[in-house]
């Protein structure tokens, strides 16, 4: 039972955003900047944002060499170029807007480990550099002259360096977005799960975490930013979940002889050093079908593959004890680009950010906000 005051003040908004990951928060911030007088509410089902934005590995990346080469099999050269450009511009924009200190951004470069089966990728490096010159003005990729300095096992035949890649703390980035949204007067309600959106009239049915109370919200406009969880609210969408696992070691007793963000296996595996620990994740390609899920569980096959990789290839001479593990859910589809489109008279979506949402979320939120402004 709600009071007159609650009904009058808490359930009607100019814009309601569903989902408070990078995309939802960015959408709200851009919209509020453009329409300072608009009332904007974000509804989030978790106590914290609970999808990918607080679970990721914090790579400020736009594609490793083998990942970009792999994209050429599925996309036109123009599409590959614009995907990289969009990601890189996205990274530049969040650094400009929030500052490196706030994001804990480190320009430590990216590195890709090439094993025997993909070492031929290096032959196409010059061509990729040439294609990307319009964006970066310089060569992006180069071969590391003395890869032995990293201490990887001899399974690693070549290491390719990317001078434009960096690392950040995704929790710090999300915190900065949250603060910005609050400063602008965006209201955020957590623990509220949307169960239905009536897309032409802006009516939203939601429930609390205990699932024993129903709430009805009404928005002049509704933005769905639920990424991997979008099928529930938009069943016909071309969005498929893809779970990602991250492992974090205890502080490593010996010295870790490298820094930066590292990729393996066309970007499916990634690792970096955090506070003297090894953060290692990915490898959903080792059990693709099982990882197409929104359940936050650990796949033991993938976990043991990653642990073996750490022992045998990444830190072969060190004792590794594991302390933490977590999973997050990404969204994929038949194409790599995000879906940003109207899906009803009052409703639009921005979903399917793949494995690059750190770079894309801010810009995707801007594009959704522009679309909503025209609706
Ligand atoms: C393990 C892992 C590692 C990754 N590493 C990187 C990386 O290093 N670099 C990189 O660029 N990207 C990385 N990504 C991808 C990146 O994290 C995502 O692309 C990005 O976070 C997507 O942001 P989003 O806001 O669109 O979605 P999400 O962060 O998933 O946000 C969606 C939000 O909607 C909420 N929600 C869902 N359904 C409802 C509902 N019915 N009602 C209310 N709320 C709802 C969810 O709780 C969630 O908070 C990684 C992802 C994972 C899982």
């Amino acid at each position: 039972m709600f009071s007159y005051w609650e009904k009058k003040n808490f359930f009607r908004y100019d814009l309601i955003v569903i989902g408070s990951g990078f995309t939802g928060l960015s959408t709200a911030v851009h919209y509020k900047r453009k329409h300072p007088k608009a009332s904007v509410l974000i509804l989030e089902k978790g106590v914290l944002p609970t999808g990918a934005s607080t679970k990721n590995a914090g790579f400020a990346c736009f594609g490793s060499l083998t990942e970009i080469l792999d994209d050429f099999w599925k996309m036109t050269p123009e599409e590959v170029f614009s995907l990289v450009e969009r990601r890189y511009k996205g990274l530049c924009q969040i650094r400009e807007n929030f500052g490196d200190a706030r994001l804990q951004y480190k320009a430590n470069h990216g590195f890709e480990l090439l094993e025997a089966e993909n070492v031929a990728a290096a032959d196409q490096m010059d061509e990729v550099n040439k294609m990307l010159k319009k964006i970066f003005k310089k060569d992006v990729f180069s071969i590391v002259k003395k890869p032995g300095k990293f201490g990887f096992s001899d399974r690693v035949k070549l290491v390719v360096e990317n001078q434009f890649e960096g690392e950040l703390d995704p929790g710090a980035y999300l915190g900065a977005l949250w603060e910005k949204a609050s400063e602008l007067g965006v209201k955020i309600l957590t623990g509220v799960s949307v169960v239905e959106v009536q897309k032409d009239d802006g009516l939203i049915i939601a429930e609390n975490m205990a699932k024993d109370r129903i709430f009805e919200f009404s928005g002049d406009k509704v933005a769905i930013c639920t990424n991997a969880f979008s099928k529930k609210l938009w069943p016909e969408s071309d969005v498929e979940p893809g779970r990602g696992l991250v492992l974090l070691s205890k502080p490593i007793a010996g010295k870790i002889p490298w820094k930066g963000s590292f990729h393996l296996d066309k970007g499916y595996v990634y690792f970096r050093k955090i506070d003297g620990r090894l953060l290692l994740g990915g490898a959903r390609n080792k059990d693709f079908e099982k990882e197409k899920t929104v359940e936050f569980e650990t796949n033991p096959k993938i976990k043991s593959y990653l642990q073996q990789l750490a022992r045998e290839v990444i830190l072969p001479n060190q004792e590794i004890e594991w302390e933490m593990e977590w999973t997050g859910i990404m969204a994929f589809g038949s194409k790599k680009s995000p879906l940003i489109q109207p899906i009803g008279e009052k409703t639009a979506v921005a979903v399917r950010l793949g494995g690059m949402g750190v770079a894309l979320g801010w810009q995707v939120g801007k594009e959704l906000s522009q679309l909503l402004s025209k609706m």
Side-chain angles (χ1 to χ4, degrees), residues 200-227:
D200 291 331
D201 56 19
L203 187 72
I204 291 173
I205 318 288
E207 62 188 9
N208 62 352
M209 278 179 144
K211 296 183 191 267
D212 59 5
R213 289 200 78 174
I214 293 288
F215 306 86
E216 274 185 24
F217 294 90
S218 153
D220 278 350
K221 294 170 186 182
V222 176
I224 299 182
C225 301
T226 48
N227 204 35

Side-chain angles (χ1 to χ4, degrees), residues 19 21-23 44-45 50-53 56-57 59 194 227 328 354-358:
F22 297 144
T23 307
E44 165 56 51
K45 74 172 172 181
T50 313
S53 298
N56 68 67
F59 282 40
V194 174
N227 204 35
M356 299 271 173
V358 170

Side-chain angles (χ1 to χ4, degrees), residues 2-240:
F2 295 108
S3 69
Y4 175 71
W5 317 115
E6 285 168 326
K7 280 195 172 172
K8 191 173 158 195
N9 290 291
F10 291 100
F11 294 100
R12 254 212 52 72
Y13 295 86
D14 295 322
L15 171 66
I16 299 180
V17 179
I18 307 169
S20 71
F22 297 144
T23 307
L25 284 164
S26 300
T27 302
V29 167
H30 286 295
Y31 195 84
K32 201 61 177 142
R33 277 181 176 173
K34 177 98 176 104
H35 309 278
K37 291 197 174 134
S39 56
V40 179
L41 171 74
I42 301 181
L43 295 174
E44 165 56 51
K45 74 172 172 181
V47 170
L48 291 172
T50 313
S53 298
T54 49
K55 310 286 187 192
N56 68 67
F59 282 40
C61 54
F62 49 84
S64 69
L65 177 64
T66 61
E67 207 175 347
I68 291 173
L69 288 172
D70 199 43
D71 286 345
F72 280 112
W73 291 100
K74 301 162 208 149
M75 293 186 246
T76 65
E78 293 72 31
E79 283 174 330
V80 177
F81 178 88
S82 70
L83 199 63
V84 172
E85 187 179 41
R86 196 178 199 187
R87 291 167 179 165
Y88 184 62
K89 279 192 176 162
L91 287 173
C92 295
Q93 282 169 18
I94 62 168
R95 292 179 65 194
E96 261 168 44
N97 270 275
F98 299 102
D100 287 354
R102 183 70 176 94
L103 300 173
Q104 299 191 30
Y105 181 87
K106 296 187 196 103
N108 282 338
H109 297 197
F111 300 86
E112 179 166 25
L113 280 51
L114 299 184
E115 297 182 75
E117 63 272 23
N118 47 22
V119 83
D123 299 340
Q124 288 162 282
M125 188 180 78
D126 289 344
E127 226 173 297
V128 175
N129 276 336
K130 206 167 138 197
M131 180 192 89
L132 298 181
K133 219 160 213 153
K134 252 196 190 161
I135 308 170
F136 296 92
K137 315 290 176 228
K138 290 180 183 171
D139 283 348
V140 174
F141 299 109
S142 59
I143 304 289
V144 174
K145 293 214 172 66
K146 291 183 182 162
K149 68 181 177 184
F150 295 122
F152 302 134
S153 85
D154 56 13
R155 261 172 63 184
V156 178
K157 304 298 178 203
L158 278 180
V159 178
V160 178
E161 182 164 356
N162 172 346
Q163 61 164 319
F164 291 98
E165 191 169 317
E167 315 166 54
L168 53 71
D169 175 335
Y173 172 29
L174 197 110
L177 273 169
W178 193 287
E179 247 171 60
K180 182 63 70 192
S182 304
E183 259 170 47
L184 290 166
V186 172
K187 277 189 196 156
I188 306 177
L189 294 181
T190 62
V192 184
S193 179
V194 174
V195 289
E196 189 190 331
V197 179
Q198 292 179 13
K199 298 173 185 70
D200 291 331
D201 56 19
L203 187 72
I204 291 173
I205 318 288
E207 62 188 9
N208 62 352
M209 278 179 144
K211 296 183 191 267
D212 59 5
R213 289 200 78 174
I214 293 288
F215 306 86
E216 274 185 24
F217 294 90
S218 153
D220 278 350
K221 294 170 186 182
V222 176
I224 299 182
C225 301
T226 48
N227 204 35
F229 309 90
S230 300
K231 281 264 186 219
K232 182 172 165 185
L233 305 178
W234 182 28
E236 58 278 27
S237 58
D238 172 16
V239 174
E240 192 169 68

